[in-house]
Amino acid sequence: MTESSAFRTDRYELTMVDAAIQSGTADRECLFEAFARRLPDGRRYGIVAGTGRLLELIRDFRFTDAELTWLRDNHVVRTPTLDWLADYSFRGNIWGYQEGEAYFPGSPLFSVEGSFADAVVLETVVLSVLNYDSAVASAAARMVSVSLGRPIAEMGSRRTSEYAAVAAARAAYIAGFASTSNLEAGRSWGIPTMGTAAHSFTLLHDSETDAFEAQVAAFGSSTTLLVDTYDIRSGIDTAVAVAGTGLGSIRIDSGDLPTVVAGARAQLDSLGAVNTHITVTSDLDEYSIAALSASPVDAFGVGTSLVTGSGAPAAGMVYKLVAHRDDTGEWVSVAKTSAAKISVGGLKRAVRRLDASGTARAEVVLVGGDPADTTEPAEETGRDRVLLVPLVTDGVIDERYLGAAGTERARLHHASVMRELPIEAFRLGRGEPVIPTLYEHR
Amino acid sequence: MTESSAFRTDRYELTMVDAAIQSGTADRECLFEAFARRLPDGRRYGIVAGTGRLLELIRDFRFTDAELTWLRDNHVVRTPTLDWLADYSFRGNIWGYQEGEAYFPGSPLFSVEGSFADAVVLETVVLSVLNYDSAVASAAARMVSVSLGRPIAEMGSRRTSEYAAVAAARAAYIAGFASTSNLEAGRSWGIPTMGTAAHSFTLLHDSETDAFEAQVAAFGSSTTLLVDTYDIRSGIDTAVAVAGTGLGSIRIDSGDLPTVVAGARAQLDSLGAVNTHITVTSDLDEYSIAALSASPVDAFGVGTSLVTGSGAPAAGMVYKLVAHRDDTGEWVSVAKTSAAKISVGGLKRAVRRLDASGTARAEVVLVGGDPADTTEPAEETGRDRVLLVPLVTDGVIDERYLGAAGTERARLHHASVMRELPIEAFRLGRGEPVIPTLYEHR
């Protein structure tokens, strides 16, 4: 692995550039669009995530000598194409939904304008990032919506590949998670990190008492003690005996949680540890979090279901050519027309139609609209909030979306978007998208 | 992201090291074991993958100034622990199932012996890699087993995060896939890469004929032409008209495949393109591949379902402390005992019990056996094939398992393992593991 992101790429992108250079079509100005034909699995909404990460990968998308040598040695493309790749950096424009935004079927959430060659080579990296990060954020948002304000920690690094883990922590944070176990996510994206001990720490010691004493000696009584290695009831007794009634928190990682949690709360209270929090972390997902809504849980930790998108591990986004300019400079809409995979061609704007109370009522895709147009259409009874913002202009990335600051910005934007959705969005059961997507031809 | 893999780690590993250094238990010699309590989702077998990649990450697991500074600034651990981390490299022993091997519930597939601190800090990276790569390889093996020898290309990079994509391509190749679309997988692991064009290439041109002519001019008539952008029937006519009857292959990415493929074959034959291959790539998984067993398909391409583990995106492996040495040097078995998540403590060997015909009949876990013991137990009516091999000895990695050569070795080993499994292993329907796991206490 090198620092360049250019090989996070499917071979066919480079062979297309090669053939297009040969045929003289590589410089044709094009608009590509990333969108999802449908939401996964009965979901009511999706959440766009990965944008900030993706912009950094686009910035680092350069073919260095290492890539060029490999391509030459493996006869992937010919010399004129190697020369073109050597000079490559993205020079076009990108508009996109802000990171953290809700999306619906057909939402034109990432629009790339540039020469065919400039834009097509980004396909894989665009989709890898948006499909994975949005899958995680979409699952995370559902978990947050049923957590009733109680903090959720992301703890899924051990259940997805080692780099995806960092992306997942970031996506979950944008969607409202409070913290992550993953150190790289802390370092790279400024996300608060958490974690104290696993069962192995207790098993290492000659007794649970020894283990708790060691942990309290190191971190003080405000630490979180994992009480379910042997017997939860005696574990809680031991925890309070060792740490005192000022014990910060206990963590429970197994058992029938509503029952166990209720018993643990009563036991802590009877021991005088009335301010000791209860954190639960046992294979949780949005459904088991919802099932704990009446339980005295203070915090959740979620792993597997979060990083695997809770049943929808890829968001189903595609990256399609929707228009190119003809020889006179006019935009020509194009779209695949065979079989079931229909696309809507053409440039597009997108607005979220809000009613007078500020509640979202429709996703409106303005076919033929200019994505660069940020004026808000007039609405008599509400507001049309413009969804596309300029992310890259003539190859220059808007830096407000990058790094830890961009991540924090996305988290704030997400919180405001969620307040806008109709209440039906937060029902966990399968259903239709909570607002319809309307295509208006301009 | 830096070159060090040390921050692909959950914070609690470092806090455990910190507390153990404080309490004097950090140097206790321990055995940790990665295993799966069950196979996902009615599967008959699982495939271990990621081992070679993981060994490279363990080699690169060093805390450089960048990591140490961040840990100090964020008060994650105290100074003695920072000093310990600065000197860290794994100094112990690791035994594991060979990459590509089948595994079953309880198989002790990755056993790490070292001081508590040495071994516990590897937990996240061990599980991230084994859980993801094995999920992909396990899905891939099922697809290969129903492909009837026809090659399958891995094309899932756009459906998982950009680094996971590389790992997925590698895992699929080990499990018998023929090639990948991912360039980094080609460069890093020596996997054959493939790919020609997407629908956007056809849409870019003023006609399908123009697009096919451009592609044939660039790559010759042996290329693969994607024929379903508009109408498949006219697409095939155009393809043969442009490339001639020597056209290498057509690719079909949509439609009711058994019907479409039969029609395409008849049409190609009637046009004289009797040697032109048919590749299909439309949202395939093991079930749709099996449904095409009687269809004249020559090659498959699989994306989403492969990289998301076809319904089981994480293999469910855990990394548990199973034994530590007491003060007299004797091994003490340890295991969590509360609630449902029972583990079997103790050192373990593992053998696959084969009958006289060489068919696997049981996964035998020899509790109390020495993982370093590679002698084959005598069997009257068959053979007990030893499953654990030394991967790391006193901190020195066996280099035969690394890089492209290690990947190729794993692919070969996998092929031999699959020949050993009972035929019932290859039924796609849900069922029990195809052989039982027997615990024998020694």
Side-chain angles (χ1 to χ4, degrees):
Chain A
M1 302 273 176
T2 65
E3 291 298 318
S4 164
S5 61
F7 263 31
R8 305 292 99 74
T9 293
D10 283 341
R11 178 172 169 139
Y12 78 170
E13 294 167 16
L14 303 194
T15 53
M16 283 191 278
V17 171
D18 196 56
I21 286 176
Q22 165 101 355
S23 75
T25 50
D27 291 332
R28 231 173 222 208
E29 197 173 350
C30 287
L31 191 84
F32 281 82
E33 190 183 282
F35 62 93
R37 290 198 176 89
R38 66 195 74 84
L39 299 178
D41 204 25
R43 296 277 181 85
R44 310 303 176 99
Y45 62 89
I47 299 299
V48 176
T51 318
R53 236 164 59 67
L54 173 56
L55 293 174
E56 297 190 8
L57 289 164
I58 290 173
R59 179 192 65 201
D60 300 336
F61 200 93
R62 306 295 177 95
F63 292 83
T64 71
D65 286 346
E67 285 80 32
L68 297 168
T69 301
W70 192 89
L71 292 171
R72 182 183 299 110
D73 291 350
N74 288 275
H75 310 289
V76 175
V77 293
R78 284 155 311 170
T79 304
T81 306
L82 291 171
D83 294 342
W84 184 89
L85 294 172
D87 289 336
Y88 180 79
S89 71
F90 180 71
R91 288 154 287 203
N93 301 307
I94 300 178
W95 302 272
Y97 279 33
Q98 284 194 64
E99 190 164 10
E101 184 62 78
Y103 73 89
F104 299 92
S107 295
L109 50 88
F110 199 80
S111 296
V112 179
E113 182 190 52
S115 75
F116 174 76
D118 262 26
V120 79
V121 295
L122 299 179
E123 176 180 3
T124 301
V125 73
V126 166
L127 290 178
S128 292
V129 172
L130 293 179
N131 268 322
Y132 181 69
D133 293 29
S134 300
V136 172
S138 298
R142 283 160 59 86
M143 297 173 190
V144 170
S145 75
V146 294
S147 68
L148 308 179
R150 294 173 287 185
I152 314 180
E154 187 283 311
M155 308 171 38
S157 295
R158 289 163 281 148
R159 316 295 176 216
T160 188
S161 85
E162 73 280 10
Y163 284 92
V166 184
R170 182 180 177 280
Y173 183 69
I174 287 169
F177 273 45
S179 57
T180 179
S181 61
N182 188 283
L183 289 171
E184 186 64 61
R187 174 167 65 174
S188 291
W189 306 107
I191 302 169
T193 61
M194 49 68 63
T196 49
H199 295 109
S200 61
F201 188 77
T202 300
L203 294 170
L204 167 70
H205 290 82
D206 296 331
S207 70
E208 199 169 40
T209 302
D210 284 2
F212 289 174
E213 285 178 347
Q215 191 178 326
V216 170
F219 301 112
S221 62
S222 66
T223 193
T224 298
L225 293 172
L226 177 60
V227 294
D228 69 342
T229 302
Y230 304 111
D231 173 77
I232 291 180
R233 208 168 161 79
S234 62
I236 292 173
D237 280 340
T238 304
V240 176
V242 168
T245 54
L247 173 62
S249 185
I250 62 167
R251 178 160 78 94
I252 299 172
D253 188 46
S254 54
D256 175 48
L257 290 176
T259 311
V260 170
V261 168
R265 182 72 269 160
Q267 187 182 354
L268 286 168
D269 290 348
S270 75
L271 293 168
V274 294
N275 295 315
T276 299
H277 283 183
I278 298 176
T279 297
V280 299
T281 59
S282 180
D283 287 334
L284 298 179
D285 61 15
E286 60 268 48
Y287 302 99
S288 51
I289 292 172
L292 289 165
S293 56
S295 291
V297 173
D298 299 286
F300 301 96
V302 180
T304 310
S305 68
L306 187 275
V307 299
T308 59
S310 199
M317 291 173 193
V318 292
Y319 183 78
K320 295 293 174 189
L321 178 65
V322 294
H324 62 74
R325 285 194 200 270
D326 66 17
D327 295 341
T328 69
E330 289 298 303
W331 283 105
V332 179
S333 297
V334 297
K336 182 169 182 292
T337 56
S338 77
K341 295 179 180 174
I342 301 292
S343 305
V344 177
L347 272 64
K348 301 180 188 75
R349 299 184 68 199
V351 296
R352 187 146 307 144
R353 186 153 294 162
L354 310 175
D355 64 18
S357 72
T359 301
R361 292 301 170 205
E363 187 83 342
V364 182
V365 179
L366 306 166
V367 181
D370 182 351
D373 180 0
T374 58
T375 58
E376 206 167 85
E379 263 298 305
E380 282 182 21
T381 57
R383 198 185 144 208
D384 273 359
R385 182 166 66 81
V386 174
L387 294 167
L388 287 167
V389 298
L391 299 172
V392 181
T393 304
D394 296 332
V396 179
I397 296 171
D398 188 332
E399 302 214 337
R400 292 176 302 165
Y401 300 110
L402 305 184
T407 303
E408 205 62 52
R409 182 189 187 92
R411 180 174 159 90
L412 286 171
H413 181 68
H414 173 76
S416 74
V417 167
M418 295 302 274
R419 288 192 289 272
E420 210 178 70
L421 292 183
I423 190 77
E424 298 79 21
F426 307 111
R427 287 166 52 186
L428 291 181
R430 291 181 179 214
E432 296 299 309
V434 71
I435 57 174
T437 302
L438 308 178
Y439 290 91
E440 297 186 356
H441 293 261
R442 294 287 158 104
Chain B
M1 302 272 174
T2 65
E3 291 297 319
S4 164
S5 62
F7 263 31
R8 305 294 100 72
T9 293
D10 282 342
R11 179 173 168 138
Y12 79 169
E13 294 166 16
L14 302 193
T15 53
M16 285 191 277
V17 170
D18 196 57
I21 286 175
Q22 165 101 355
S23 76
T25 51
D27 292 332
R28 236 175 218 205
E29 196 173 350
C30 287
L31 192 84
F32 281 81
E33 192 182 280
F35 63 94
R37 290 197 175 92
R38 64 195 75 84
L39 299 178
D41 202 26
R43 295 278 180 85
R44 312 300 176 102
Y45 61 90
I47 299 298
V48 177
T51 318
R53 237 164 57 68
L54 173 56
L55 293 173
E56 298 190 8
L57 289 164
I58 290 173
R59 179 193 65 198
D60 299 335
F61 200 94
R62 306 296 177 95
F63 292 83
T64 71
D65 286 347
E67 285 79 31
L68 296 168
T69 301
W70 192 89
L71 293 171
R72 182 183 299 109
D73 292 350
N74 288 274
H75 311 289
V76 175
V77 294
R78 284 155 313 171
T79 304
T81 306
L82 290 172
D83 294 342
W84 184 89
L85 293 173
D87 290 337
Y88 181 78
S89 70
F90 180 70
R91 288 153 287 205
N93 301 307
I94 301 177
W95 302 272
Y97 280 32
Q98 285 194 64
E99 190 164 10
E101 184 62 79
Y103 73 89
F104 299 92
S107 295
L109 51 88
F110 199 80
S111 296
V112 178
E113 183 190 50
S115 74
F116 175 76
D118 264 23
V120 80
V121 295
L122 299 179
E123 176 181 1
T124 302
V125 72
V126 166
L127 289 179
S128 293
V129 172
L130 293 179
N131 269 322
Y132 181 68
D133 294 27
S134 300
V136 172
S138 298
R142 283 160 58 86
M143 297 173 190
V144 170
S145 75
V146 295
S147 69
L148 308 180
R150 295 173 285 184
I152 314 181
E154 187 281 312
M155 307 172 38
S157 294
R158 287 163 285 149
R159 314 296 175 216
T160 187
S161 84
E162 73 282 8
Y163 283 92
V166 185
R170 181 179 177 280
Y173 183 68
I174 287 169
F177 272 46
S179 57
T180 178
S181 60
N182 188 283
L183 289 170
E184 187 63 63
R187 174 167 67 172
S188 290
W189 305 106
I191 301 169
T193 59
M194 49 68 64
T196 49
H199 295 109
S200 61
F201 188 77
T202 299
L203 294 171
L204 168 70
H205 289 82
D206 295 331
S207 70
E208 199 170 41
T209 301
D210 284 2
F212 289 174
E213 283 177 349
Q215 191 178 326
V216 169
F219 301 112
S221 62
S222 67
T223 193
T224 298
L225 293 173
L226 177 59
V227 295
D228 69 342
T229 301
Y230 304 112
D231 173 76
I232 292 181
R233 206 165 165 79
S234 61
I236 292 173
D237 279 340
T238 305
V240 177
V242 168
T245 54
L247 173 62
S249 185
I250 61 168
R251 178 160 79 92
I252 298 172
D253 189 47
S254 54
D256 176 47
L257 290 176
T259 311
V260 170
V261 168
R265 183 71 270 160
Q267 186 182 353
L268 286 168
D269 290 348
S270 74
L271 293 168
V274 294
N275 294 316
T276 299
H277 283 183
I278 297 176
T279 297
V280 298
T281 59
S282 179
D283 287 336
L284 298 178
D285 61 14
E286 60 269 49
Y287 302 100
S288 50
I289 292 172
L292 289 165
S293 57
S295 290
V297 172
D298 298 285
F300 302 96
V302 180
T304 310
S305 68
L306 187 273
V307 299
T308 59
S310 199
M317 291 174 194
V318 293
Y319 183 78
K320 295 294 174 188
L321 178 65
V322 294
H324 62 74
R325 286 194 201 269
D326 66 15
D327 295 341
T328 70
E330 289 297 303
W331 283 105
V332 179
S333 297
V334 298
K336 182 168 182 291
T337 56
S338 77
K341 295 179 181 174
I342 301 293
S343 305
V344 176
L347 271 62
K348 300 180 189 76
R349 298 184 66 198
V351 296
R352 186 145 308 144
R353 187 151 295 160
L354 310 175
D355 64 18
S357 72
T359 301
R361 292 301 170 206
E363 187 82 341
V364 183
V365 179
L366 307 165
V367 181
D370 182 352
D373 180 0
T374 57
T375 59
E376 208 167 84
E379 263 298 304
E380 283 183 20
T381 56
R383 198 184 144 208
D384 273 0
R385 182 165 66 81
V386 174
L387 294 168
L388 288 167
V389 299
L391 299 172
V392 181
T393 305
D394 296 333
V396 179
I397 296 171
D398 188 331
E399 303 213 338
R400 293 176 300 166
Y401 300 111
L402 305 184
T407 303
E408 206 60 53
R409 183 189 186 93
R411 181 173 157 90
L412 285 171
H413 182 68
H414 174 75
S416 74
V417 166
M418 295 302 275
R419 287 191 290 270
E420 209 178 71
L421 293 183
I423 190 78
E424 297 78 19
F426 306 112
R427 287 166 51 186
L428 292 182
R430 291 181 179 212
E432 297 298 308
V434 71
I435 58 173
T437 303
L438 308 177
Y439 289 90
E440 297 186 355
H441 292 261
R442 294 285 159 104

